Amino acid sequence: MPTNIRKQFELIIMIFFLPCMLAASETKTSMLEELYFKSGMEKQYADIPAALKEGFDQGLKIDTGKNKMSPSVSIAIRNSIDTSFSSELVKADILACFKSNLSERDIQEILKWLDSPTGKRCTELEEAGSAPGILEKRMEFEKNIKNNPIPENRMKLIRKFNQATSGTEAAVSIAEGMQIALLTAVNLSMPEEMRMPYQAMKNEIEQLKPKIRAILEPEVITGFIYTYRTLTDPELGEYIDFLSSEAGRKYTTSSIKGLKKALEDGSMKWGRSIAEILNNAEKQTDT
């Protein structure tokens, strides 16, 4: 077939099927919106700015050097956390990762789980486990289990669940992302000649990951014991079965990958905001 005729033929085919392709894309986007809402991620990740603000406030208390930021600058930097790590930006990064890694069949399988009685119950417990003021309740719970140890059969299930969810790795990724964000803020607040290159900063955090993992794993395990304390062993087994399925594994991997990207993107955005705030402060000082 002559090249020019073949190109025309391919164009006709594309025009003919384009509405179907667009409809399929819209369907997948709609399903992913549903997945994000039903998974409880929207509520669970809403506290990221608050956690970063707390870390930033602690950093300010430690920083007593001559280059300490003025109150107005530190307030401006603190406030810029909300826009850099907004729930809309976090959601966009996670959904983009889902869209790239999950097929429509995967999404249907995940939604089937989320719509199941046990799936709904697990989402409710996860949302409750990340609610404000939960830390005090969890600490009280930890005191109680020291005197009343968890049965070994239950602990085996919890450890299996941690493995199925990549729970420890997810916690390490979140900690890594937040460290990068906070160190970016500290780094950019210093004189230019004292700043560490971004990649060097990432490499230093990477070297700390084994220590971070060792610290976080017991915390993650205890968190799972607390969050799913009212689930029966068979219900927890159902959750593990879903997470161990092909769709469940892709769902877990994509969730962690998307959240990590959201934190990295937020760090870069926050870094640019900090640079702008500091530049404006210098201009005002010069004038």
Side-chain angles (χ1 to χ4, degrees), residues 235-250:
E235 286 173 327
L236 191 55
E238 279 185 64
Y239 201 172
I240 292 169
D241 287 343
F242 160 69
L243 292 166
S244 302
S245 68
E246 184 182 356
R249 287 195 299 270
K250 289 166 75 173

Side-chain angles (χ1 to χ4, degrees), residues 134-201:
I134 205 68
L135 186 59
E136 291 79 6
K137 294 179 182 178
R138 182 176 149 177
M139 288 172 69
E140 187 63 34
F141 177 80
E142 286 179 30
K143 288 180 185 176
N144 291 334
I145 62 174
K146 284 181 181 178
N147 299 322
N148 301 285
I150 305 298
E152 185 54 32
N153 285 345
R154 182 68 172 187
M155 285 305 301
K156 283 181 181 178
L157 271 177
I158 291 292
R159 285 191 284 267
K160 192 174 179 182
F161 179 78
N162 181 40
Q163 188 174 5
T165 57
S166 298
T168 299
E169 294 310 309
V172 171
S173 289
I174 292 169
E176 183 184 15
M178 290 195 171
Q179 279 188 319
I180 288 171
L182 291 167
L183 283 177
T184 298
V186 172
N187 200 36
L188 287 170
S189 68
M190 297 172 71
E192 193 168 348
E193 65 276 7
M194 295 174 64
R195 292 176 192 170
M196 182 186 292
Y198 182 76
Q199 191 57 48
M201 187 170 62

Side-chain angles (χ1 to χ4, degrees), residues 194-210:
M194 295 174 64
R195 292 176 192 170
M196 182 186 292
Y198 182 76
Q199 191 57 48
M201 187 170 62
K202 282 192 72 174
N203 291 343
E204 281 205 1
I205 294 172
E206 186 70 26
Q207 290 174 7
L208 289 172
K209 280 177 76 171

Side-chain angles (χ1 to χ4, degrees), residues 1-10:
M1 185 184 293
T3 303
N4 62 334
I5 297 177
R6 183 170 182 171
K7 286 182 178 178
Q8 290 174 8
F9 179 74
E10 288 174 350

Side-chain angles (χ1 to χ4, degrees), residues 221-283:
I221 294 289
T222 304
F224 286 152
I225 293 170
Y226 176 77
T227 298
Y228 304 106
R229 64 196 182 282
T230 58
L231 276 188
T232 64
D233 286 356
E235 286 173 327
L236 191 55
E238 279 185 64
Y239 201 172
I240 292 169
D241 287 343
F242 160 69
L243 292 166
S244 302
S245 68
E246 184 182 356
R249 287 195 299 270
K250 289 166 75 173
Y251 174 50
T252 299
T253 303
S254 300
S255 300
I256 296 171
K257 188 176 177 182
L259 181 58
K260 189 172 182 178
K261 187 175 187 306
L263 290 169
E264 287 178 354
D265 287 352
S267 298
M268 298 302 290
K269 186 176 175 63
W270 193 26
R272 288 192 292 270
S273 296
I274 292 167
E276 187 177 344
I277 291 165
L278 293 173
N279 285 336
N280 289 337
E282 285 178 13
K283 288 176 183 176

